[in-house]
Coordinates of all heavy atoms in Angstrom, one line a residue:
M295 N -9.8 -1.4 16.1 CA -9.0 -0.7 15.2 C -9.5 0.8 15.1 O -10.7 1.0 15.1 CB -9.1 -1.4 13.8 CG -8.1 -0.9 12.8 SD -8.1 -1.9 11.3 CE -7.0 -3.2 11.9
S296 N -8.6 1.7 14.9 CA -8.9 3.1 14.9 C -9.6 3.5 13.6 O -9.4 2.8 12.6 CB -7.7 4.0 15.1 OG -6.8 3.8 14.1
Q297 N -10.2 4.6 13.6 CA -10.9 5.2 12.4 C -9.8 5.6 11.4 O -8.8 6.2 11.8 CB -11.7 6.4 12.8 CG -12.6 6.9 11.8 CD -13.8 6.0 11.5 OE1 -14.0 5.0 12.2 NE2 -14.6 6.3 10.6
P298 N -10.0 5.3 10.1 CA -9.0 5.7 9.1 C -8.9 7.2 8.9 O -10.0 7.9 9.0 CB -9.5 5.0 7.8 CG -10.5 4.1 8.2 CD -11.0 4.5 9.5
L299 N -7.7 7.7 8.8 CA -7.6 9.2 8.4 C -8.0 9.4 7.0 O -8.6 10.4 6.7 CB -6.1 9.6 8.6 CG -5.5 9.5 10.0 CD1 -4.0 9.8 10.0 CD2 -6.2 10.5 10.9
V300 N -7.6 8.5 6.1 CA -7.9 8.6 4.7 C -8.3 7.3 4.1 O -7.7 6.2 4.5 CB -6.6 9.1 3.9 CG1 -6.9 9.2 2.4 CG2 -6.2 10.5 4.4
Q301 N -9.2 7.3 3.2 CA -9.6 6.1 2.4 C -9.6 6.5 1.0 O -10.1 7.5 0.6 CB -11.0 5.6 2.8 CG -11.1 5.0 4.2 CD -12.4 4.4 4.4 OE1 -13.0 3.7 3.6 NE2 -13.0 4.6 5.6
T302 N -8.9 5.7 0.2 CA -8.7 6.1 -1.2 C -8.6 4.8 -2.1 O -8.4 3.7 -1.6 CB -7.5 7.0 -1.4 OG1 -7.5 7.5 -2.8 CG2 -6.2 6.4 -1.1
T303 N -8.7 5.0 -3.4 CA -8.6 3.9 -4.3 C -7.6 4.3 -5.5 O -7.6 5.4 -5.9 CB -10.0 3.6 -5.0 OG1 -10.9 3.3 -4.0 CG2 -9.9 2.5 -5.9
G304 N -6.8 3.3 -5.9 CA -5.9 3.5 -7.0 C -6.1 2.4 -8.0 O -6.4 1.2 -7.6
R305 N -6.0 2.7 -9.3 CA -6.2 1.7 -10.3 C -5.0 1.8 -11.3 O -4.6 2.8 -11.7 CB -7.5 1.9 -11.1 CG -8.7 1.7 -10.2 CD -10.0 1.9 -11.0 NE -11.1 1.6 -10.2 CZ -12.0 2.5 -9.9 NH1 -12.0 3.7 -10.5 NH2 -13.0 2.2 -9.1
R306 N -4.6 0.6 -11.7 CA -3.6 0.5 -12.8 C -3.8 -0.8 -13.5 O -3.9 -1.9 -12.9 CB -2.2 0.5 -12.2 CG -1.1 0.5 -13.3 CD 0.3 0.9 -12.8 NE 1.2 1.0 -13.9 CZ 1.8 0.0 -14.4 NH1 1.6 -1.3 -14.0 NH2 2.6 0.2 -15.4
K307 N -3.9 -0.8 -14.8 CA -4.2 -1.9 -15.7 C -5.5 -2.5 -15.2 O -6.5 -1.9 -15.1 CB -3.0 -2.9 -15.7 CG -1.7 -2.4 -16.3 CD -0.7 -3.4 -16.4 CE 0.6 -2.9 -17.0 NZ 1.6 -3.9 -17.1
H308 N -5.4 -3.8 -14.7 CA -6.7 -4.4 -14.2 C -6.7 -4.5 -12.7 O -7.6 -5.1 -12.1 CB -6.8 -5.8 -14.7 CG -7.1 -5.9 -16.2 ND1 -8.3 -5.7 -16.7 CD2 -6.3 -6.0 -17.3 CE1 -8.3 -5.7 -18.0 NE2 -7.1 -5.9 -18.4
A309 N -5.7 -3.9 -12.0 CA -5.6 -4.0 -10.5 C -6.3 -2.8 -9.9 O -6.2 -1.7 -10.4 CB -4.1 -4.0 -10.1
I310 N -7.0 -3.1 -8.8 CA -7.7 -2.1 -8.0 C -7.2 -2.2 -6.6 O -7.3 -3.3 -6.0 CB -9.2 -2.2 -8.1 CG1 -9.7 -2.1 -9.5 CG2 -9.9 -1.2 -7.2 CD1 -11.1 -2.5 -9.7
A311 N -6.7 -1.1 -6.0 CA -6.2 -1.1 -4.6 C -7.1 -0.1 -3.8 O -7.2 1.0 -4.2 CB -4.7 -0.7 -4.6
R312 N -7.6 -0.6 -2.7 CA -8.4 0.2 -1.8 C -7.5 0.3 -0.5 O -7.2 -0.7 0.1 CB -9.7 -0.4 -1.5 CG -10.6 -0.5 -2.7 CD -11.9 -1.3 -2.4 NE -12.7 -1.4 -3.6 CZ -12.5 -2.4 -4.5 NH1 -11.5 -3.3 -4.4 NH2 -13.2 -2.4 -5.6
V313 N -7.2 1.6 -0.2 CA -6.2 1.9 0.9 C -6.9 2.6 2.0 O -7.6 3.6 1.8 CB -5.0 2.7 0.3 CG1 -4.1 3.1 1.4 CG2 -4.3 1.9 -0.8
R314 N -6.5 2.2 3.3 CA -6.9 3.0 4.5 C -5.7 3.3 5.2 O -4.8 2.5 5.5 CB -7.9 2.1 5.3 CG -9.3 2.0 4.7 CD -10.0 0.8 5.2 NE -9.5 -0.5 4.9 CZ -9.5 -1.0 3.7 NH1 -10.0 -0.4 2.6 NH2 -8.9 -2.2 3.5
L315 N -5.5 4.6 5.5 CA -4.3 5.2 6.2 C -4.7 5.5 7.6 O -5.7 6.3 7.8 CB -3.9 6.4 5.4 CG -2.5 7.0 5.7 CD1 -1.4 6.1 5.2 CD2 -2.4 8.4 5.1
R316 N -3.9 5.0 8.6 CA -4.2 5.3 10.0 C -2.9 5.8 10.7 O -1.8 5.4 10.2 CB -4.7 4.1 10.7 CG -6.0 3.6 10.2 CD -6.4 2.3 11.0 NE -7.8 1.9 10.7 CZ -8.2 1.1 9.7 NH1 -7.2 0.6 8.9 NH2 -9.4 0.8 9.5
D317 N -3.0 6.5 11.8 CA -1.8 6.8 12.6 C -1.2 5.5 13.1 O -2.0 4.6 13.5 CB -2.2 7.7 13.8 CG -2.5 9.1 13.4 OD1 -1.8 9.6 12.4 OD2 -3.4 9.8 14.0
G318 N 0.1 5.4 13.1 CA 0.7 4.2 13.5 C 2.2 4.2 13.4 O 2.8 5.3 13.5
Q319 N 2.8 3.1 13.2 CA 4.3 2.9 13.2 C 4.9 2.6 11.9 O 6.0 2.3 11.8 CB 4.6 1.8 14.2 CG 4.1 2.0 15.6 CD 4.7 3.2 16.3 OE1 5.9 3.4 16.1 NE2 3.9 4.0 16.9
G320 N 4.1 2.5 10.8 CA 4.6 2.2 9.5 C 4.4 0.8 9.0 O 5.0 0.4 8.0
A321 N 3.4 0.1 9.6 CA 3.1 -1.2 9.2 C 2.2 -1.2 7.9 O 1.3 -0.4 7.8 CB 2.4 -2.0 10.3
I322 N 2.5 -2.0 6.9 CA 1.7 -2.1 5.7 C 1.2 -3.5 5.6 O 2.0 -4.5 5.6 CB 2.6 -1.8 4.5 CG1 3.1 -0.4 4.6 CG2 1.7 -1.9 3.2 CD1 4.1 0.0 3.5
T323 N -0.1 -3.6 5.5 CA -0.8 -4.9 5.5 C -1.6 -5.0 4.1 O -2.3 -4.1 3.8 CB -1.8 -5.1 6.6 OG1 -1.1 -4.9 7.8 CG2 -2.4 -6.5 6.6
V324 N -1.3 -6.0 3.4 CA -2.0 -6.2 2.1 C -2.8 -7.5 2.1 O -2.3 -8.6 2.3 CB -0.9 -6.3 0.9 CG1 -1.6 -6.4 -0.4 CG2 0.0 -5.1 0.9
N325 N -4.1 -7.3 1.9 CA -5.0 -8.5 2.0 C -4.8 -9.3 3.2 O -4.8 -10.6 3.2 CB -4.9 -9.3 0.7 CG -5.5 -8.6 -0.5 OD1 -6.1 -7.6 -0.4 ND2 -5.2 -9.2 -1.7
G326 N -4.6 -8.7 4.4 CA -4.4 -9.4 5.6 C -3.0 -10.0 5.9 O -2.8 -10.6 6.9
R327 N -2.1 -9.8 5.0 CA -0.8 -10.3 5.1 C 0.2 -9.2 5.1 O 0.0 -8.1 4.5 CB -0.4 -11.2 3.9 CG -1.3 -12.4 3.8 CD -1.3 -13.2 2.6 NE -0.1 -13.2 1.8 CZ 0.0 -13.6 0.6 NH1 -1.0 -14.0 -0.1 NH2 1.2 -13.6 -0.1
P328 N 1.4 -9.3 5.8 CA 2.4 -8.3 5.8 C 2.9 -8.1 4.4 O 2.9 -9.0 3.5 CB 3.6 -8.9 6.6 CG 2.9 -10.0 7.4 CD 1.7 -10.5 6.7
V329 N 3.3 -6.9 4.1 CA 3.7 -6.5 2.7 C 4.9 -7.3 2.2 O 5.0 -7.6 1.0 CB 4.0 -5.0 2.6 CG1 5.3 -4.6 3.3 CG2 4.1 -4.5 1.2
E330 N 5.8 -7.8 3.1 CA 6.9 -8.6 2.7 C 6.5 -9.9 2.2 O 7.2 -10.5 1.3 CB 7.9 -8.8 3.9 CG 8.6 -7.5 4.3 CD 7.7 -6.6 5.3 OE1 6.7 -7.2 5.8 OE2 8.0 -5.5 5.5
T331 N 5.4 -10.5 2.7 CA 5.0 -11.8 2.1 C 4.1 -11.7 0.9 O 4.1 -12.5 0.1 CB 4.3 -12.6 3.2 OG1 3.1 -11.9 3.7 CG2 5.2 -12.9 4.4
Y332 N 3.4 -10.6 0.8 CA 2.5 -10.4 -0.4 C 3.3 -10.0 -1.6 O 3.1 -10.4 -2.7 CB 1.4 -9.4 -0.1 CG 0.3 -9.4 -1.1 CD1 -0.7 -10.3 -1.0 CD2 0.4 -8.5 -2.2 CE1 -1.7 -10.3 -1.9 CE2 -0.6 -8.6 -3.2 CZ -1.7 -9.5 -3.0 OH -2.7 -9.5 -4.0
F333 N 4.3 -9.1 -1.4 CA 5.2 -8.6 -2.4 C 6.6 -9.0 -2.1 O 7.4 -8.2 -1.5 CB 5.2 -7.1 -2.6 CG 3.9 -6.6 -3.2 CD1 3.0 -5.9 -2.4 CD2 3.6 -6.8 -4.5 CE1 1.8 -5.4 -3.0 CE2 2.4 -6.3 -5.1 CZ 1.5 -5.6 -4.3
P334 N 7.0 -10.3 -2.4 CA 8.4 -10.7 -2.0 C 9.5 -10.0 -2.8 O 10.6 -10.0 -2.4 CB 8.4 -12.2 -2.3 CG 7.3 -12.4 -3.2 CD 6.3 -11.3 -3.0
N335 N 9.1 -9.4 -3.9 CA 10.1 -8.8 -4.8 C 10.4 -7.4 -4.2 O 9.5 -6.6 -4.0 CB 9.6 -8.6 -6.2 CG 10.6 -8.1 -7.2 OD1 11.4 -7.3 -6.8 ND2 10.4 -8.5 -8.4
E336 N 11.7 -7.1 -3.9 CA 12.1 -5.8 -3.4 C 11.7 -4.6 -4.3 O 11.3 -3.5 -3.8 CB 13.6 -5.8 -3.1 CG 14.1 -4.5 -2.5 CD 13.6 -4.2 -1.1 OE1 13.3 -5.2 -0.4 OE2 13.4 -3.0 -0.8
T337 N 11.7 -4.8 -5.6 CA 11.4 -3.7 -6.5 C 9.9 -3.3 -6.3 O 9.6 -2.1 -6.3 CB 11.7 -4.2 -8.0 OG1 13.0 -4.6 -8.1 CG2 11.4 -3.0 -8.9
H338 N 9.0 -4.3 -6.2 CA 7.6 -3.9 -6.0 C 7.4 -3.2 -4.7 O 6.7 -2.2 -4.7 CB 6.8 -5.2 -6.0 CG 6.7 -5.9 -7.4 ND1 6.7 -7.2 -7.5 CD2 6.7 -5.3 -8.6 CE1 6.7 -7.5 -8.8 NE2 6.7 -6.4 -9.5
R339 N 8.1 -3.6 -3.6 CA 8.0 -2.9 -2.4 C 8.5 -1.5 -2.5 O 8.0 -0.5 -1.9 CB 8.7 -3.7 -1.2 CG 7.9 -4.9 -0.9 CD 8.4 -5.5 0.5 NE 9.8 -5.7 0.5 CZ 10.4 -6.9 0.2 NH1 9.7 -7.9 -0.3 NH2 11.7 -7.0 0.3
M340 N 9.6 -1.3 -3.2 CA 10.2 0.0 -3.4 C 9.2 0.9 -4.1 O 9.0 2.1 -3.8 CB 11.5 0.0 -4.2 CG 12.2 1.3 -4.4 SD 13.6 1.2 -5.5 CE 12.7 0.9 -7.0
V341 N 8.6 0.4 -5.2 CA 7.6 1.2 -6.0 C 6.5 1.7 -5.1 O 6.1 2.8 -5.2 CB 7.1 0.3 -7.2 CG1 5.8 0.9 -7.8 CG2 8.1 0.2 -8.2
L342 N 5.9 0.8 -4.3 CA 4.7 1.2 -3.5 C 5.0 2.1 -2.3 O 4.2 2.8 -1.8 CB 3.9 0.0 -3.1 CG 4.5 -1.1 -2.2 CD1 4.2 -0.8 -0.7 CD2 4.0 -2.4 -2.5
T343 N 6.3 2.1 -1.8 CA 6.6 3.0 -0.7 C 7.3 4.3 -1.1 O 7.5 5.1 -0.3 CB 7.6 2.2 0.3 OG1 8.7 1.8 -0.4 CG2 6.9 1.1 0.9
E344 N 7.6 4.5 -2.4 CA 8.2 5.7 -2.8 C 7.4 7.0 -2.4 O 8.0 8.0 -2.0 CB 8.4 5.7 -4.4 CG 9.6 5.0 -4.8 CD 9.8 5.0 -6.3 OE1 8.8 5.2 -7.0 OE2 10.9 4.8 -6.7
P345 N 6.1 7.0 -2.6 CA 5.4 8.3 -2.2 C 5.5 8.6 -0.7 O 5.6 9.7 -0.3 CB 3.9 8.0 -2.5 CG 4.0 6.9 -3.6 CD 5.2 6.1 -3.3
L346 N 5.6 7.5 0.1 CA 5.7 7.8 1.6 C 7.1 8.3 1.9 O 7.2 9.2 2.8 CB 5.5 6.5 2.3 CG 4.1 5.9 2.3 CD1 4.0 4.5 2.9 CD2 3.1 6.8 3.0
H347 N 8.1 7.8 1.2 CA 9.5 8.3 1.5 C 9.6 9.7 0.9 O 10.4 10.5 1.5 CB 10.5 7.4 0.8 CG 10.6 6.1 1.5 ND1 11.0 5.9 2.8 CD2 10.3 4.8 1.1 CE1 11.0 4.6 3.2 NE2 10.5 4.0 2.1
A348 N 8.9 10.1 -0.2 CA 9.0 11.4 -0.7 C 8.5 12.5 0.2 O 9.1 13.6 0.2 CB 8.2 11.5 -2.0
V349 N 7.5 12.2 1.0 CA 7.0 13.1 2.0 C 7.5 12.8 3.4 O 7.0 13.4 4.4 CB 5.5 13.2 1.9 CG1 5.0 13.7 0.6 CG2 4.8 11.9 2.3
E350 N 8.4 11.9 3.6 CA 9.0 11.6 4.8 C 8.0 11.1 5.9 O 8.0 11.5 7.0 CB 9.9 12.7 5.4 CG 11.0 13.0 4.5 CD 11.8 14.2 4.9 OE1 11.5 14.8 6.0 OE2 12.8 14.6 4.2
A351 N 7.0 10.3 5.4 CA 6.0 9.8 6.3 C 5.9 8.3 6.4 O 4.9 7.7 6.8 CB 4.6 10.3 5.8
A352 N 7.0 7.6 6.0 CA 7.0 6.1 6.0 C 6.8 5.5 7.4 O 6.2 4.4 7.5 CB 8.3 5.6 5.4
D353 N 7.2 6.2 8.4 CA 7.1 5.6 9.8 C 6.0 6.2 10.6 O 5.9 5.9 11.8 CB 8.4 5.8 10.5 CG 9.6 5.0 9.8 OD1 9.3 4.0 9.2 OD2 10.7 5.5 9.9
R354 N 5.1 7.0 10.0 CA 4.1 7.7 10.8 C 2.7 7.1 10.6 O 1.8 7.4 11.4 CB 4.0 9.2 10.4 CG 5.2 10.0 11.0 CD 4.9 11.5 10.8 NE 5.3 11.9 9.5 CZ 5.1 13.0 8.9 NH1 4.3 13.9 9.5 NH2 5.6 13.3 7.7
Y355 N 2.5 6.3 9.6 CA 1.2 5.8 9.3 C 1.2 4.3 9.1 O 2.1 3.7 8.5 CB 0.6 6.5 8.0 CG 0.5 8.0 8.2 CD1 1.4 8.8 7.5 CD2 -0.4 8.6 9.0 CE1 1.4 10.1 7.6 CE2 -0.5 9.9 9.1 CZ 0.4 10.7 8.4 OH 0.4 12.1 8.5
D356 N 0.1 3.6 9.5 CA -0.1 2.2 9.2 C -1.1 2.2 8.0 O -2.0 3.0 7.9 CB -0.8 1.5 10.3 CG 0.1 1.2 11.5 OD1 1.3 1.4 11.3 OD2 -0.4 0.9 12.6
I357 N -0.8 1.3 7.1 CA -1.6 1.2 5.8 C -2.2 -0.2 5.7 O -1.5 -1.2 5.8 CB -0.7 1.5 4.6 CG1 -0.1 2.9 4.7 CG2 -1.4 1.4 3.3 CD1 1.0 3.2 3.7
D358 N -3.5 -0.2 5.5 CA -4.2 -1.4 5.3 C -4.8 -1.4 3.9 O -5.5 -0.5 3.5 CB -5.4 -1.5 6.3 CG -6.1 -2.8 6.2 OD1 -5.5 -3.8 5.8 OD2 -7.4 -2.8 6.4
V359 N -4.4 -2.4 3.1 CA -4.7 -2.4 1.7 C -5.5 -3.7 1.3 O -5.2 -4.8 1.8 CB -3.4 -2.4 0.8 CG1 -3.8 -2.3 -0.7 CG2 -2.5 -1.3 1.2
T360 N -6.5 -3.5 0.4 CA -7.2 -4.6 -0.2 C -7.0 -4.5 -1.7 O -7.3 -3.4 -2.3 CB -8.7 -4.5 0.1 OG1 -8.9 -4.5 1.5 CG2 -9.4 -5.7 -0.5
I361 N -6.4 -5.5 -2.3 CA -6.1 -5.4 -3.7 C -6.8 -6.6 -4.4 O -6.8 -7.7 -3.9 CB -4.5 -5.6 -4.0 CG1 -3.8 -4.3 -3.4 CG2 -4.2 -5.7 -5.4 CD1 -2.3 -4.3 -3.7
A362 N -7.3 -6.3 -5.6 CA -7.9 -7.3 -6.4 C -7.5 -7.1 -7.9 O -7.3 -6.0 -8.3 CB -9.4 -7.3 -6.3
G363 N -7.4 -8.2 -8.6 CA -7.1 -8.1 -10.1 C -5.7 -7.8 -10.4 O -4.9 -7.4 -9.6
G364 N -5.3 -8.1 -11.7 CA -4.0 -7.8 -12.2 C -2.9 -8.7 -11.7 O -3.1 -9.6 -10.9
G365 N -1.7 -8.3 -12.1 CA -0.5 -9.1 -11.6 C 0.2 -8.2 -10.6 O -0.2 -7.2 -10.2
P366 N 1.4 -8.7 -10.2 CA 2.1 -8.1 -9.1 C 2.6 -6.6 -9.5 O 2.5 -5.7 -8.6 CB 3.4 -8.9 -8.9 CG 3.1 -10.2 -9.5 CD 2.0 -10.0 -10.6
S367 N 3.0 -6.4 -10.7 CA 3.4 -5.1 -11.1 C 2.3 -4.1 -11.1 O 2.4 -3.0 -10.7 CB 4.1 -5.1 -12.4 OG 5.3 -5.8 -12.4
G368 N 1.2 -4.5 -11.7 CA 0.0 -3.7 -11.7 C -0.6 -3.4 -10.3 O -1.0 -2.3 -10.0
Q369 N -0.5 -4.4 -9.5 CA -1.0 -4.2 -8.1 C -0.1 -3.2 -7.3 O -0.6 -2.4 -6.6 CB -1.0 -5.6 -7.3 CG -2.2 -6.4 -7.9 CD -2.2 -7.8 -7.1 OE1 -1.3 -8.1 -6.3 NE2 -3.3 -8.5 -7.4
A370 N 1.2 -3.4 -7.5 CA 2.1 -2.4 -6.8 C 1.9 -1.0 -7.4 O 1.9 0.0 -6.6 CB 3.6 -2.8 -7.1
G371 N 1.7 -0.9 -8.7 CA 1.4 0.5 -9.2 C 0.1 1.0 -8.8 O 0.0 2.2 -8.5
A372 N -0.9 0.2 -8.6 CA -2.2 0.7 -8.1 C -2.1 1.1 -6.7 O -2.6 2.2 -6.3 CB -3.3 -0.4 -8.2
L373 N -1.3 0.4 -5.9 CA -1.1 0.8 -4.5 C -0.3 2.1 -4.4 O -0.6 2.9 -3.6 CB -0.4 -0.4 -3.8 CG 0.0 -0.2 -2.3 CD1 -1.2 0.3 -1.5 CD2 0.5 -1.4 -1.7
R374 N 0.7 2.2 -5.2 CA 1.4 3.5 -5.3 C 0.5 4.7 -5.6 O 0.6 5.7 -5.0 CB 2.5 3.4 -6.3 CG 3.3 4.6 -6.4 CD 4.4 4.5 -7.5 NE 5.2 5.7 -7.6 CZ 6.2 5.8 -8.4 NH1 6.6 4.8 -9.2 NH2 6.9 6.9 -8.4
L375 N -0.3 4.5 -6.6 CA -1.2 5.6 -7.0 C -2.2 5.9 -5.9 O -2.5 7.1 -5.6 CB -2.0 5.2 -8.2 CG -2.9 6.2 -8.9 CD1 -2.1 7.4 -9.3 CD2 -3.6 5.6 -10.1
A376 N -2.7 4.9 -5.2 CA -3.7 5.2 -4.1 C -3.0 5.9 -3.0 O -3.5 6.7 -2.3 CB -4.3 3.8 -3.6

C-alpha cells in the first residue's frame, strides 16, 4: 500500500474518524469494508462525500477510514469533517 498523502482526524458527537487519503481511483474503505456496506443509507454516503464533490476530487483519491464510537449519523459527520 502506498504512503498516505494526508492523515487526519474528525470528531462528531461520540464518533471519531481517522482518515488516510492516497492517490487512487475513488475507492472508500471504512473499517476494512466498502463504504456501500458500512453505510447502506444513501443519505449518509452523500453526507460523507460532499466535500470531495465540492472540490471535484471524488475520483482522484482512495480513502481508508477507521471509525469508532457513535451511531451512523455521527460517524458520517465525523468522516465528512475529517
Side-chain angles (χ1 to χ4, degrees):
M295 190 169 279
S296 65
Q297 191 73 3
L299 296 173
V300 176
Q301 293 187 40
T302 186
T303 302
R305 294 183 178 120
R306 182 167 188 278
K307 297 184 180 182
H308 291 280
I310 300 171
R312 293 171 186 87
V313 176
R314 285 157 301 284
L315 190 75
R316 296 180 170 88
D317 286 325
Q319 304 296 317
I322 301 174
T323 306
V324 181
N325 291 347
R327 297 168 30 195
V329 71
E330 293 83 13
T331 60
Y332 194 86
F333 289 109
N335 188 330
E336 180 65 33
T337 304
H338 292 145
R339 288 195 306 270
M340 181 190 69
V341 164
L342 63 93
T343 57
E344 277 179 340
L346 294 171
H347 291 293
V349 296
E350 299 176 1
D353 297 332
R354 285 193 273 170
Y355 302 106
D356 287 345
I357 300 171
D358 182 32
V359 183
T360 303
I361 294 183
S367 294
Q369 289 181 350
L373 178 51
R374 176 185 184 173
L375 185 61

